[in-house]
Amino acid sequence: MSAHDHDHPHSHQHDHDHGHSHDHSHAHDHGEGGLFHSHGLNRKSKMFWAIGITALILVLEAVGGMVSGSLALLSDAGHMLTDLAALLISLTAMILAEKPASSTHTYGFARLEVLAALGNAITFFLMVFGVAWEAFQRFAHPSLPDWKTMGIIAAIGFLANALSAWFLHGSHEDDINIQGAWIHVMGDLGSSLGVLIGVAVISQTGWTWVDPVLSLAIALLIASGAFKLLRKALHILLESAPKGLTSEVIETTLKKEISDIREVHHIHLWEVGAGGVHLTAHLVVDDQHLSQAQQIVAKATSVLKTECGIQHATLQIEAPTQILMHGPDLKQP
């Protein structure tokens, strides 16, 4: 008996792990809590902390900027307002992404997180434009801010942002929403430090241009983070292969680990959400019983998961070309 009774014998198997099976040789493995949110509560707690601290700094810097007349503080308050809105969008997307898949949304809502990250990046660029405009206006009409008030507010902001960075540390590398929050916080931390340095310079020299220069430096710092976030979000939305994974890597790994596989083709790699890698491919193996072919598929999905970090693999078994063209050798037992 061959792998299938049609002209193109094939067998499908999906690797998830929900602890249930289907009559179509499917096995599911999403892990606890879903594909991309195994630490959902922890992630949400971190986001809540970041939102609370950001809101507090926003109020302090807005009041401090108006009292001291510091453009750098007012610019950073505007930055904080943008941050707060972006973090709230990210948290909402994070919660919605935990909704289970349905018959109409078979991948679930994981991609909402990526769309939120894209929206964050766009708001960053708009904010950068606004800060730069105000800085050039200050160059044209210089004024000396109250550096003492400016310094106190900047010091409080620096400590609060350091606390936010501590909460988010360790989760920002693999999670695109936490990465967005991390960029916000690190930009805020850097800007607070810059303002503190500016306060020291202004107190000693009285230079009026230091304040708008600091504002432009903050804007450039935020633009750099926004570009990285935009690039990563677009990479996922365009369904590009994850970094470090190519068709060649997949084929080499499977053929090295499983001697029964002659060839791997029609390879497609993409990410549905941050960290959730999917793959489809055709495996060419010798003509054999369906049960033997399915064992190869099971081993291949395991190899892809452990060696390549692919959580969801859909594999189709094919017989070699000469068998497809001329039929199986009937003399074989």
Side-chain angles (χ1 to χ4, degrees), residues 54 76 78 116 124 137 155 159 165 167 180 206 239 248 272 279 283 306:
T54 300
D76 210 30
F124 287 153
Q137 293 298 311
L159 293 175
F167 278 119
E239 298 190 339
E248 292 75 17
V272 172
L279 172 140
L283 308 180
T306 56

Side-chain angles (χ1 to χ4, degrees), residues 19-237:
H20 63 266
S21 59
H22 303 279
D23 293 334
H24 303 289
S25 299
H26 292 215
H28 295 275
D29 178 12
H30 285 196
E32 294 183 9
L35 272 175
F36 316 119
H37 41 266
S38 59
H39 304 288
L41 291 177
N42 191 32
R43 293 165 63 214
K44 284 188 287 186
S45 296
K46 291 178 178 182
M47 291 295 284
F48 275 121
W49 274 105
I51 287 170
I53 293 172
T54 300
L56 176 62
I57 301 173
L58 165 61
V59 174
L60 287 174
E61 290 193 338
V63 174
M66 289 185 287
V67 171
S68 66
S70 169
L71 176 61
L73 278 182
L74 287 173
S75 298
D76 210 30
H79 177 207
M80 289 292 176
L81 181 60
T82 306
D83 284 358
L84 185 60
L87 289 172
L88 287 170
I89 291 172
S90 294
L91 178 62
T92 302
M94 189 180 292
I95 294 171
L96 289 174
E98 293 179 356
K99 293 180 63 178
S102 66
S103 58
T104 54
H105 298 91
T106 58
Y107 281 111
F109 297 86
R111 190 152 284 183
L112 283 176
E113 295 186 86
V114 185
L115 292 173
L118 180 64
N120 279 350
I122 294 172
T123 60
F124 287 153
F125 285 119
L126 294 175
M127 184 273 302
V128 166
F129 177 79
V131 170
W133 174 261
E134 290 298 325
F136 285 118
Q137 293 298 311
R138 185 60 64 91
F139 278 124
H141 308 284
S143 62
L144 188 65
D146 177 2
W147 59 268
K148 291 182 180 180
T149 302
M150 182 179 170
I152 292 172
I153 300 300
I156 295 173
F158 179 82
L159 293 175
N161 282 312
L163 183 61
S164 286
W166 181 76
F167 278 119
L168 296 175
H169 180 70
S171 301
H172 67 286
E173 294 182 358
D174 300 320
D175 188 306
I176 196 168
N177 261 302
I178 297 296
Q179 183 184 26
W182 175 262
I183 291 174
H184 282 293
V185 171
M186 293 310 291
D188 296 340
L189 191 63
S191 62
S192 295
L193 179 60
V195 172
L196 284 173
I197 294 172
V199 167
V201 174
I202 292 171
S203 66
Q204 297 298 317
T205 64
W207 292 338
T208 58
W209 55 264
V210 172
D211 193 41
V213 165
L214 283 173
S215 299
L216 289 175
I218 293 169
L220 289 175
L221 181 66
I222 299 164
S224 174
F227 177 75
K228 292 178 182 177
L229 189 61
L230 178 66
R231 183 174 59 184
K232 184 167 184 177
L234 288 177
H235 185 84
I236 295 175
L237 290 174

Side-chain angles (χ1 to χ4, degrees), residues 262 284-287 319-329:
R262 290 191 179 187
V284 178
V285 301
D286 290 329
D287 193 27
T321 303
Q322 63 268 27
I323 293 180
L324 295 178
M325 294 292 293
H326 306 293
D329 184 356

